Amino acid sequence: AQRVTQPEKLLSVFKGAPVELKCNYSYSGSPELFWYVQYSRQRLQLLLRHISRESIKGFTADLNKGETSFHLKKPFAQEEDSAMYYCALSPNNAGNMLTFGGGTRLMVKP
Amino acid sequence: GAVVSQHPSRVICKSGTSVKIECRSLDFQATTMFWYRQFPKQSLMLMATSNEGSKATYEQGVEKDKFLINHASLTLSTLTVTSAHPEDSSFYICSARWPGFNEQFFGPGTRLTVL
């Protein structure tokens, strides 16, 4: 069975500082990896997915199959980035069924 | 586009009663919807996959007779918590899969409190 681990429950940084939210996974096949974000009092929404290789709101994430990681990075954090971030995995050919990590709360201080 | 609604947003019920939660895809047809459960300060746990026109697929440890799922149309899935008990109190979130895009869109969630 697949598993997603986010080792940090809380990450607090100052505005303008670099941010890295860690995500490690275990799965025997070739998964699809996602980052979801939940801003205060809003619903969960997709931030980015590894297959699209995009940068969304300044965030990037690279899938490292050797280290089974999909860390989320941003060079300069903004206060509006404060939110709950969830890493998620979809097994290949599983109809988009998602397994979520425990989530990391990012707090960006002014 | 791609809006998913849930109703009600919060419900309080007495122990032993049944509660129905609706999940609707407002501007697209979803053959597959998902139901998650989220305890306070914890992550989302997939409960079941709801397939239009067929039986839901439940995750291990989820009682199918306790959590009844009906996906009778391409825009509506319902989750009924039968004979609810205080331990069923939680935040229930649904999502709908955008067909062909392998992406889920989430509802705002329903907070259930069982007294």
Side-chain angles (χ1 to χ4, degrees), chain A residues 2 34 36 44 86-91 94-101, chain B residues 4 6 21 23 32-39 42-50 57 59 62 67 69 77 79 81 88-97 103-112:
Chain A
Q2 60 272 14
F34 305 81
Y36 282 84
L44 206 63
Y86 293 96
C87 182
L89 177 154
S90 176
N96 195 222
M97 185 191 78
L98 291 171
T99 297
F100 284 88
Chain B
V4 177
Q6 277 184 247
I21 303 170
C23 178
T32 305
M33 293 184 174
F34 301 89
W35 287 96
Y36 297 86
R37 186 172 180 176
Q38 186 177 32
F39 289 106
Q42 294 189 29
S43 187
L44 287 79
M45 297 295 293
L46 179 65
M47 298 175 66
T49 302
S50 173
T57 305
E59 294 301 299
V62 178
F67 298 99
I69 291 173
S77 175
L79 168 69
V81 183
D88 298 324
S89 298
S90 190
F91 197 54
Y92 292 87
I93 302 171
C94 76
S95 70
R97 187 162 75 97
E103 182 172 340
Q104 291 185 31
F105 293 90
F106 286 81
T110 296
R111 182 159 305 284
L112 170 64

Side-chain angles (χ1 to χ4, degrees), chain A residues 90-108:
Chain A
S90 176
N92 200 15
N93 297 323
N96 195 222
M97 185 191 78
L98 291 171
T99 297
F100 284 88
T104 298
R105 179 166 298 282
L106 174 64
M107 292 180 59
V108 182

Side-chain angles (χ1 to χ4, degrees), chain A residues 28-96:
Chain A
S28 56
S30 295
E32 187 169 357
L33 274 296
F34 305 81
W35 275 99
Y36 282 84
V37 60
Q38 188 170 31
Y39 299 102
S40 179
R41 299 179 187 233
Q42 294 187 29
R43 69 187 67 195
L44 206 63
Q45 56 185 286
L46 179 66
L47 180 63
L48 54 79
R49 55 203 303 177
H50 89 269
I51 60 170
S52 56
R53 293 183 167 270
E54 300 175 290
S55 173
I56 306 294
K57 298 184 179 182
F59 285 98
T60 59
D62 291 317
L63 179 61
N64 186 321
K65 292 186 178 180
E67 296 182 358
T68 60
S69 68
F70 188 56
H71 303 326
L72 183 68
K73 300 177 184 179
K74 184 169 183 176
F76 308 102
Q78 303 298 315
E79 289 182 67
E80 55 266 29
D81 296 328
S82 296
M84 196 74 187
Y85 291 81
Y86 293 96
C87 182
L89 177 154
S90 176
N92 200 15
N93 297 323
N96 195 222

Side-chain angles (χ1 to χ4, degrees), chain B residues 54-75:
Chain B
S54 64
K55 292 183 179 180
T57 305
Y58 290 81
E59 294 301 299
Q60 192 173 11
V62 178
E63 300 175 57
K64 58 182 67 176
D65 294 330
K66 173 101 177 138
F67 298 99
L68 300 178
I69 291 173
N70 188 311
H71 193 155
S73 79
L74 288 171
T75 58

